[in-house]
């Protein structure tokens, strides 16, 4: 088959926002869709949840000290959101997979993956107090990233000027 990835990160110098973001993803149940894309399974290795299995327990190690949620979509895409253990970052990893013989071109696959990533990591205002947020829904991601930006990027990292 063919695999195409789109991975990146956002710096966040307000670590309390990590707990808030991932808490809002979990509160009230995990999402069923992101934009037009339907989620088939969710794996949350922070709290030990994986609905890919009948007992809802992950087969990978649980780590309550860091945040990591993976969404698998019906279209064959997978998106993982996680915090870095060593840097002030929120990382995302995304991949689209097509079986050998699938007529989709690499360009079509990239476009579909980019549309999904854009739905997950968006920067549009929610209209409330000029705030933005990061979560599984675009308006919540947008509010969070806006708060990171609005809080001001650091002028230095250690002894290095940015």
């Amino acid at each position: 088959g063919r695999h195409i990835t789109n991975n990146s990160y956002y710096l966040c110098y307000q670590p309390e926002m990590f707990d808030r973001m991932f808490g809002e993803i979990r509160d009230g149940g995990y999402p069923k869709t992101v934009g037009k894309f339907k989620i088939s399974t969710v794996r949350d290795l922070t709290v030990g949840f994986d609905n890919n299995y009948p007992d809802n327990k992950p087969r990978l190690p649980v780590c309550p000290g860091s945040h990591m949620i993976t969404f698998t979509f019906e279209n064959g895409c997978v998106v993982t959101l996680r915090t870095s253990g060593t840097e002030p970052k929120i990382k995302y990893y995304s991949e689209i997979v097509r079986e050998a013989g699938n007529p989709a071109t690499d360009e079509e696959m990239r476009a579909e993956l980019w549309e999904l990533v854009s739905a997950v990591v968006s920067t549009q205002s929610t209209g409330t107090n000029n705030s933005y947020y990061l979560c599984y829904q675009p308006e919540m991601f947008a509010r969070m990233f806006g708060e990171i930006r609005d809080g001001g990027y650091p002028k230095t990292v250690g002894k290095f000027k940015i």
Side-chain angles (χ1 to χ4, degrees), residues 10-14 88-89 147-162:
Y10 288 86
L11 293 171
C12 178
Y13 293 91
Q14 303 165 26
K89 292 179 179 178
E147 287 178 14
I148 293 169
R149 282 192 309 272
D150 296 346
Y153 294 106
K155 305 290 186 249
T156 62
V157 174
K159 65 181 182 178
F160 301 100
K161 289 186 178 183
I162 296 177

Side-chain angles (χ1 to χ4, degrees), residues 12 94 130:
C12 178
S94 64
N130 246 355

Side-chain angles (χ1 to χ4, degrees), residues 6-25:
N6 179 339
N7 309 312
S8 193
Y9 64 89
Y10 288 86
L11 293 171
C12 178
Y13 293 91
Q14 303 165 26
E16 67 279 1
M17 296 183 91
F18 295 150
D19 291 335
R20 200 165 98 202
M21 176 193 97
F22 284 92
E24 288 200 17
I25 292 173

Side-chain angles (χ1 to χ4, degrees), residues 6 10 37 92 94 108-121:
N6 179 339
Y10 288 86
F37 300 95
Y92 71 86
S94 64
E108 290 169 330
M109 289 171 61
R110 276 190 199 87
E112 184 175 355
L113 184 59
W114 180 248
E115 184 180 359
L116 173 60
V117 168
S118 297
V120 172
V121 183

Side-chain angles (χ1 to χ4, degrees), residues 4-11 18 21-22 25 67-71 73 78-84 88-96 110 113-123 134-136 141 145:
I4 293 179
T5 63
N6 179 339
N7 309 312
S8 193
Y9 64 89
Y10 288 86
L11 293 171
F18 295 150
M21 176 193 97
F22 284 92
I25 292 173
H67 294 289
M68 185 157 129
I69 300 176
T70 300
F71 299 100
F73 293 83
V78 177
V79 175
T80 297
L81 303 171
R82 76 172 187 88
T83 53
S84 170
K89 292 179 179 178
I90 300 169
K91 298 179 178 187
Y92 71 86
Y93 305 91
S94 64
E95 178 179 44
I96 188 169
R110 276 190 199 87
L113 184 59
W114 180 248
E115 184 180 359
L116 173 60
V117 168
S118 297
V120 172
V121 183
S122 172
T123 53
L134 169 63
C135 188
Y136 61 87
F141 272 109
F145 289 130

